[in-house]
Amino acid sequence: MWGERMGLSSTKASVAAGIIWATAIGIVTVYAFAALRRPPSDTFADLAVYYGSVRTLIDDGSLYIFAAQNGDPFTYPPFAGLVLSPLGLITESTAGWLWFIGTVSLIVILSVAIGSKIRGRNSEAAPWWTPAVAVVLFVSAPMSSNIRFGQISWVLVALVLIDALKIVPARHRGIATGVASALKLTPLIFIPYYWLSGQRRTAFMSLATFAGCTGVAWLLLPSDSSYFWFELLSATDRIGDLSNGGNQSINGMLLRLGINGVEKFVILILLSAAILALGLWRGVRASRNEHLVVGASVIGATAIAISPVSWTHHQVWLVFAAAASFDRRWTTYLWRTIALVIMIVPLGTITAKAFPAAAQLGGNARGLLALAVAGLLPFTEIAKIGTTLVQSHSILRFNIPSQSTDKGAGSKIMKMAIPCLAATLLLGGCGNTTPEVLRPSGQQLVMTLSSGEIDGVKWQVEVVRIGVQSCTQSVVHYQIMGNDCEVGLKMAEVPVNIAVEGNAKILFVRGVVGSQVARIISVTQSRPSGEPVKISTVDGVRYFGYAVKPSDAVDLVGYDATGQMVYSGASKILSTRDDR
């Protein structure tokens, strides 16, 4: 465990997790006391808009004629008014505190989900990752803004994450995103993300749910629906002063730079189109490599950048982006430090007072961070998939890894690319060029357990050594998909310990076998009677690994020397298969 390598035993790591949870509770307590001390006009100000608007609706008025004490009107689609209408049946004070409790509870639940995804991708992550995620969220400016103003933005993020992190079964994915999109239009950007990343059922469900919710609102509130969709949708002036420093979209940054009129329109369209294309491309790459937190963060950052207005409470996605990593550990630590400082510290206020010359940079720091996350930073979660556009071309069908932690990666890529391009020009193809797996520094190949090709996807399962640890490792198109060191497993307690991972085209099953298991059998739809799986011993540890088509996978069965079944991996294989 990572905590053990840092000098923490499992007990100490658990104590650390408890301390961090206590810190989170302390932060929430501070928020509660702060809310009690504020004047009513500054307590849950956005919730006051929701409450007043739905009260007006209940009294046979329109959602859009109400304005709060600060002048803010209701700016969401009519469906949001229907969903929020139960608030009008209780007092405004009760609504505020119920909203506060619900928001805090939702942050904790999503912290657990995000922490689980991070620990699922990194078996070395310490148990205090989850409470650390909660603390970071609570102290971040976006979450502080959501809690202080009683904002609905965090609810929208939570709904999208239910689908984007694959928290619910595949058959239900898309419903939550569709509801979020009907509440506020920004989450619609996740529909093309789902579609392009191969989650087409999720994309269809999102669009259908959005259309259904909007249709229900139109039937129940025809006048408000017509007014919103045909008049208010383009009236961005109702949202407030878009040049305000809280608006960190491209539009807001251009306005603060004094760029207006046709010039602003042209720059905004070109920049937004470029960031949208880059953001979708990068998010899809992360998703296809099963880095779901990073993929969702990139798409969220794209939405922040290209939206006409992205207030502080909209910027939660940039906090999640701190989970991304680089090919060097120190670079990753530096990135996370910079990202969290930007998202926690009020740099705009500080630079305006203490460093006026840097006021523009500090005031636009979160907007620039959104642009960097959406379209610029070379996260390893994005770079691990090869140049898929080149790979999919019928003539230029060769594999060039897009990034490696190996210092000689550039020269290796050139050595593969130049002969291949020459062969393509002269002979019409380069099918005989055989690239090698680009490995992180310090990783050594011990042996290849199995290899093959499924529907044009070349794969292999290896045993590699990283320092003194041996690991099984999945490789797709010469790109490392994932590894999991099993040296520390107590095999006396577990007959077979497996890791199951993959994508829409391929499913890997790999791991270690205990001494009580004599043989293991792979059961598939095409071979229900089973097929023996080879077991190889390295440093006294018995390894295995293979790949199948996801639709074909059924079970991995282990038998002892007497022929009695002692293990079945069906539940893990089928649950992972159904998540593809």
Side-chain angles (χ1 to χ4, degrees), residues 295-419:
S297 300
V298 169
I299 300 302
T302 304
I304 291 169
I306 68 175
S307 176
V309 57
S310 295
W311 301 123
T312 302
H313 52 76
H314 297 150
Q315 298 159 20
V316 181
W317 297 108
L318 300 181
V319 182
F320 298 148
S325 58
F326 289 82
D327 60 352
R328 292 286 186 269
R329 179 170 290 183
W330 72 266
T331 313
T332 299
Y333 290 158
L334 179 62
W335 151 248
R336 290 175 178 169
T337 300
I338 292 173
L340 293 179
V341 166
I342 291 174
M343 297 312 300
I344 294 172
V345 178
L347 294 179
T349 302
I350 293 172
T351 53
K353 292 181 178 179
F355 309 101
Q360 279 287 359
L361 180 61
N364 293 317
R366 290 171 188 160
L368 295 173
L369 180 64
L371 293 176
V373 171
L376 298 175
L377 295 176
F379 300 137
T380 56
E381 292 84 357
I382 293 170
K384 279 186 177 179
I385 296 179
T387 48
T388 52
L389 291 178
V390 176
Q391 290 172 352
S392 63
H393 197 286
S394 59
I395 297 178
L396 294 176
R397 190 167 184 79
F398 61 99
N399 299 286
I400 299 179
S402 58
Q403 183 170 336
S404 170
T405 54
D406 188 341
K407 293 181 180 179
S411 61
K412 289 182 180 180
I413 291 173
M414 292 307 296
K415 288 177 182 178
M416 290 186 288
I418 293 174

